[in-house]
Structure formats: C-alpha cells, structure tokens
Amino acid sequence: MDDHIVSLFPNHSALSEREEWVTFITDSPKPPHERITFTLPVINSASNVAVIMTGDSKAEAAYLAIDDLRPECPLIPGRMVQPAIGKLAARKLALSMFRADE
C-alpha cells in the first residue's frame, strides 16, 4: 500500500513535528531516501487542502484515510490532514487523463 502524503510516511518521526513548517528526512522508506517536505502544521493551517491521487496503489490508502474510520484502523498520514479552519477535498484521477496516446 502506498500510504504517504507529501513526504510524510506512516510511523515516521516527521509526523510528530509540531513547530517547523518544513522538515527534511534522510530515511524515506521509498526512493529518494533524502527528501524535503511540508509538515502537518503547515498543511493543516491551509485555507484549502486538495488531495489528488492517481493509480490503484493509492486506493487502499485513500479508503483508510477517508472512508474507513473505525477506531482499530491504522493511523496513516492522510487521516492526520485536518485543516483547522479550511476545507479538505480529495479526488482520484484516472491515469488516462495524463496519456497523450489516448
């Protein structure tokens, strides 16, 4: 399951950052291993947050973040996006929208 947002991964220490708006990681579970990323405080302070995903590998993560809200569900970064005063929108785009040959 591909369940990260920006460069925030489940169970990563960057998820606990509460002061800085931008941070870096050197141990990303997916390449590239060194990344710069926004933190949850900057995402959650936005007026509008749009989550856009493409591909079947994102479907389960999107379901866990948006639809499957039972208490025993894993805490993934997408579920931690909760704008304080803004609006949240999510959308899955079809891959065919990006293919020039179709």
Side-chain angles (χ1 to χ4, degrees), residues 11 24 37 63 66 69 82-83 85 96:
N11 303 316
F24 67 93
T37 184
Y63 173 71
I66 297 168
L69 301 177
Q82 300 173 351
I85 57 171
S96 61

Side-chain angles (χ1 to χ4, degrees), residues 7-79:
S7 286
L8 298 172
F9 293 89
N11 303 316
H12 196 279
S13 61
L15 289 174
S16 61
E17 177 58 57
R18 298 291 179 253
E19 300 296 322
E20 300 296 330
W21 285 35
V22 177
T23 192
F24 67 93
I25 61 175
T26 58
D27 58 347
S28 167
K30 298 184 83 160
H33 297 292
E34 295 180 350
R35 298 170 178 235
I36 297 173
T37 184
F38 288 124
T39 61
L40 287 169
V42 73
I43 296 168
N44 287 332
S45 69
S47 297
N48 295 292
V49 177
V51 179
I52 301 170
M53 62 208 81
T54 184
D56 292 336
S57 66
K58 299 284 187 181
E60 185 177 356
Y63 173 71
L64 290 173
I66 297 168
D67 291 334
D68 194 0
L69 301 177
R70 296 170 292 146
E72 68 275 8
C73 292
L75 184 60
I76 61 172
R79 185 173 291 168

Side-chain angles (χ1 to χ4, degrees), residues 95-102:
L95 284 175
S96 61
M97 294 176 66
F98 300 101
R99 293 187 181 139
D101 60 338
E102 292 186 1

